[in-house]
Amino acid sequence: MPDTATASGEIPTDENGLPLWNLDDLYPGVDSDALARDFEALEKDAGRFAEAHAGKLAELDGNALAGAVAEYERIEEIMGRIGSYAGLMHAGDVSDPEVGRFYQNTIERLNAISSTLLFFQLEINRIDEEDLEAKLAESPALAHYRPWIRDSRAMRGYELDDEMEKLLLEKAVAGRGAWTRLFDQTLAGLRFPYRGEMLTNTDILHLMSDPDGSVRRDAARSLGETLGENIQLFSLITNTLAKDKEVEDRWRGFARPVSSRNLANFVEDEVVDALVQSVREAYPRISHRYYKLKARWMGAETLDYWDRLAPPPQDDDRTIEWDQARETVLSAYGRFDPAMADLGKRFFDNGWIDAPPRPGKAGGAFAHPTVPSAHPYLLLNFKGKARDVMTLAHELGHGVHQVLAGKQGQLMADTPLTLAETASVFGEMLTFQSMLAGTEDPKRRRALLANKIEDMINTVVRQIAFFEFERRIHDARRDGELTADRIGEIWMECSRESLGDTFRFGAEYANFWAYIPHFIHSPFYVYAYAFGDCLVNSLYALYEGGHPDFQKKYLTMLEAGGTLRHKDLLAPFGLDASDPAFWNQGLGVIERFIDELEATF
């Protein structure tokens, strides 16, 4: 477990000078008095809250109900602080058994408290609509919480009786939560043989974009073969969680596996269907076309699958130091709006980022909002490549968004997944355009443009291919358990469809689905990336075109958090996600980048 405490107040770093996060702003330690006190108070407060309000909410007038919601929010925020601390500790080292024990025990205790409080939202959802509107009208304090009440009541019609809901909640830690933890620990514990070394998941994936084709080949085969040696376990996890979801969806009355995710995102099924259809129809114009161009660039007609992430020829493969990455991103943010750069700077100055890769650390990257009374934290696995700079820009965008939305409070700060990627992808676009404008060398400019196109393909095309893979898996699972071979076949079908006929696939590639955590952690999360990228492309076009008061409207949109739905958020910009032309407009930006790249040959 990294040492995040410093006597001097300086930002803790690893031996290479990369920052480690300091979690003291949440709690000073797993055995701290502050954490123990909060837990003890939580359990008492939740019990008193239930005793005071269970079965009585419908009888309260507007102001009394507002007071109950405010107290519920206070309790939820403390729960969120504790849960965030445990989750971040675990992400820092998912292989440490003591950290794992602390994390699991914390989640179980929080789950028990949540069970005590479960009645609250269920009873709010049962209040008659006319009666609720009368309470909202008489109480400005309650009207403040109208967006949260609206979103809570979106589940009306899909909720079960109170005892069933309580059972599902309490069993989650021994069901979905336990299987998810098993996946995380298994993946973090795997070591991939590579030329006499045993590498972590993060390290072997990093080699997949190495300039040397033999390095990419050996890394890719090691990844696929090692996953294959464990594929029965990954298949069992996938089958179990898909069945678990199917059972709950059936009991709740969701007609399609994706419908519960769409409801949670407050986006209509038909909007998501239009997005998916638009992207799939664009495969030939975007990914198929680009990869044919890349193959020609590399002097071949076809490529091996491990060449998909090969850096473009003449790519600038310099190692980018952390300070340079920081300056690049903050400068790009500052040129857009100084206030956004000031917010971003706080992450670097206050120990809110954990940057270095290390054994046991969770792979990939994320921004965790924690709670409004604290601040977000960023997890990276920074190796000094251009893609790592873009990842920093992406996660910092999330962090800035989360800080701005925090003013909405614990119950209304969270943004639906469809909009949660807006600030992150916009931050990437700002950084890319800044880097492109500062690059005069034609070869480096071409490589930078190609890297951006590949990132956009990964964000839009690949994520919709992932979505399609999930859809087919969940649909097929309803007819019975899937073998590892069948899951691999579905993976290959979706890969060939999305990537085109440029690539040759080895047998081991059929196992690559197994390391993708989104399938396990958040079913159907992935389409939010494509939603966010297309949305940002449309927004950025408006910004470049001089849309009136764009910066002010943009920051106001981020500040709204979860208080507004996508139609209301986009209305000031004249955008409408329900219009199919909206998606084609966003996809057209990628096509124009490919046009620009093709013109350089």
Side-chain angles (χ1 to χ4, degrees):
M1 171 187 328
D3 180 9
T4 59
T6 58
S8 64
E10 296 179 355
I11 305 304
T13 61
D14 74 344
E15 64 275 10
N16 297 313
L18 292 175
L20 302 166
W21 54 28
N22 184 344
L23 301 181
D24 287 2
D25 288 347
L26 296 174
Y27 293 100
V30 298
D31 297 320
S32 65
D33 291 340
L35 178 57
R37 283 196 303 269
D38 274 359
F39 242 139
E40 183 178 354
L42 259 182
E43 288 164 340
K44 291 179 180 178
D45 289 348
R48 284 194 290 263
F49 184 81
E51 185 177 351
H53 296 298
K56 306 170 186 176
L57 290 189
E59 304 167 7
L60 300 179
D61 63 24
N63 286 329
L65 184 56
V69 175
E71 174 64 8
Y72 177 78
E73 181 176 43
R74 185 190 69 81
I75 294 172
E76 283 285 319
E77 176 145 358
I78 298 173
M79 290 178 63
R81 177 181 287 267
I82 294 173
S84 295
Y85 179 69
L88 292 173
M89 287 290 295
H90 189 237
D93 192 347
V94 298
S95 63
D96 186 320
E98 284 303 308
V99 173
R101 186 174 68 85
F102 165 71
Y103 172 74
Q104 183 66 21
N105 289 344
T106 299
I107 296 304
E108 289 180 7
R109 288 183 71 182
L110 289 175
N111 197 66
I113 296 170
S114 294
S115 179
T116 302
L117 299 173
L118 181 62
F119 78 91
F120 191 67
Q121 289 194 47
L122 296 176
E123 287 194 28
I124 283 180
N125 290 356
R126 285 199 293 267
I127 297 176
D128 178 75
E129 191 70 33
E130 186 175 338
D131 185 26
L132 179 61
E133 283 300 322
K135 296 178 192 293
L136 288 163
E138 72 175 310
S139 173
L142 183 62
H144 166 75
Y145 291 105
R146 180 184 284 275
W148 176 76
I149 294 171
R150 172 203 65 199
D151 292 348
S152 295
R153 287 167 69 86
M155 278 295 292
R156 295 181 81 196
Y158 299 100
E159 289 173 338
L160 307 174
D161 63 65
D162 289 11
E163 290 304 305
M164 183 68 78
E165 291 287 355
K166 189 173 183 180
L167 175 65
L168 289 174
L169 178 64
E170 292 188 3
K171 282 182 65 65
V173 293
R176 170 168 288 278
W179 287 100
T180 300
R181 181 184 173 193
L182 175 61
F183 170 85
D184 289 343
Q185 290 184 344
T186 301
L187 190 60
L190 289 183
R191 292 297 179 265
F192 301 84
Y194 175 80
R195 299 183 179 181
E197 298 182 81
M198 299 300 289
L199 302 183
T200 65
N201 175 46
T202 297
D203 288 336
I204 203 73
L205 287 172
H206 176 70
L207 294 179
M208 296 279 287
S209 57
D210 193 272
D212 187 333
S214 67
V215 170
R216 296 193 302 272
R217 178 198 63 213
D218 291 352
R221 286 176 173 169
S222 177
L223 176 65
E225 290 167 4
T226 303
L227 290 173
E229 292 166 4
N230 296 270
I231 204 66
Q232 295 302 326
L233 175 58
F234 287 121
S235 298
L236 175 60
I237 294 170
T238 298
N239 270 290
T240 301
L241 291 177
K243 182 61 178 178
D244 178 80
K245 177 172 171 52
E246 185 272 325
V247 170
E248 184 165 336
D249 283 351
R250 176 160 39 83
W251 276 76
R252 292 191 182 281
F254 288 112
R256 299 165 56 189
V258 71
S259 295
S260 59
R261 172 63 65 197
N262 293 346
L263 183 64
N265 286 342
F266 309 114
V267 62
E268 301 79 9
D269 282 2
E270 54 268 25
V271 171
V272 176
D273 291 344
L275 165 65
V276 173
Q277 179 179 349
S278 295
V279 174
R280 292 183 67 194
E281 289 175 352
Y283 285 169
R285 306 194 308 271
I286 295 177
S287 52
H288 297 187
R289 178 186 170 204
Y290 172 75
Y291 288 126
K292 286 182 183 296
L293 180 63
K294 184 171 184 176
R296 179 157 59 93
W297 196 359
M298 296 177 69
E301 291 188 7
T302 59
L303 298 173
D304 291 298
Y305 75 87
W306 53 75
D307 292 325
R308 188 178 67 83
L309 295 180
Q314 301 101 35
D315 190 24
D316 183 2
D317 62 353
R318 294 173 300 171
T319 296
I320 300 170
E321 299 297 331
W322 175 253
D323 288 345
Q324 182 184 351
R326 173 186 186 275
E327 177 60 25
T328 297
V329 174
L330 289 181
S331 294
Y333 277 35
R335 278 188 287 274
F336 173 74
D337 191 290
M340 201 161 87
D342 289 343
L343 285 174
K345 188 172 181 290
R346 293 167 64 185
F347 285 79
F348 296 91
D349 294 347
N350 294 287
W352 299 357
I353 303 176
D354 193 283
R358 58 179 176 269
K361 181 179 177 180
F366 64 70
H368 191 306
T370 73
V371 291
S373 60
H375 54 76
Y377 283 94
L378 310 186
L379 179 142
L380 308 171
N381 280 278
F382 185 84
K383 287 181 171 288
K385 299 303 180 184
R387 277 197 170 95
D388 295 326
V389 179
M390 300 306 292
T391 298
L392 172 60
H394 181 102
E395 300 305 339
L396 190 64
H398 277 308
V400 167
H401 191 180
Q402 291 159 358
V403 170
L404 288 170
K407 65 182 63 178
Q408 302 296 343
Q410 175 69 17
L411 296 182
M412 296 183 291
D414 280 352
T415 304
L417 293 180
T418 43
L419 298 166
E421 295 299 330
T422 303
S424 56
V425 180
F426 196 85
E428 279 191 72
M429 182 65 85
L430 289 173
T431 303
F432 163 72
Q433 295 286 7
S434 177
M435 294 172 69
L436 188 66
T439 303
E440 296 181 0
D441 180 84
K443 291 181 179 179
R444 287 185 178 175
R445 185 178 177 87
R446 179 192 291 178
L448 188 63
L449 188 60
N451 278 325
K452 179 58 178 175
I453 293 169
E454 293 201 10
D455 286 343
M456 297 175 87
I457 287 175
N458 287 334
T459 303
V460 177
V461 171
R462 288 287 282 166
Q463 300 303 325
I464 292 302
F466 289 172
F467 171 88
E468 185 64 13
F469 169 75
E470 283 192 276
R471 185 191 66 76
R472 295 181 193 181
I473 291 294
H474 283 270
D475 285 349
R477 182 64 181 89
R478 293 187 172 196
D479 295 327
E481 183 165 297
L482 304 175
T483 65
D485 287 344
R486 181 57 189 142
I487 297 175
E489 288 171 359
I490 295 172
W491 172 257
M492 295 300 293
E493 291 166 6
C494 294
S495 296
R496 290 192 175 99
E497 177 186 318
S498 61
L499 299 178
D501 58 7
T502 298
F503 292 102
R504 297 183 294 269
F505 295 99
E508 70 278 359
Y509 188 75
N511 302 320
F512 271 47
W513 59 270
Y515 78 87
I516 299 171
H518 288 96
F519 300 155
I520 304 301
H521 289 212
S522 304
F524 298 104
Y525 178 106
V526 290
Y527 77 73
Y529 288 109
F531 194 113
D533 197 274
C534 290
L535 169 59
V536 164
N537 290 343
S538 298
L539 283 174
Y540 198 86
L542 292 179
Y543 167 57
E544 282 192 313
H547 184 83
D549 297 323
F550 183 90
Q551 285 89 332
K552 181 180 179 180
K553 291 178 181 177
Y554 176 77
L555 294 178
T556 299
M557 179 178 70
L558 300 188
E559 289 173 350
T563 62
L564 298 177
R565 300 282 177 85
H566 66 86
K567 289 183 179 179
D568 298 321
L569 286 171
L570 296 179
F573 301 98
L575 298 174
D576 180 5
S578 65
D579 184 353
F582 171 81
W583 303 115
N584 290 325
Q585 179 182 4
L587 294 168
V589 172
I590 310 176
E591 292 184 64
R592 287 192 291 276
F593 279 150
I594 299 175
D595 290 342
E596 183 178 347
L597 178 66
E598 194 169 38
T600 67
F601 285 88

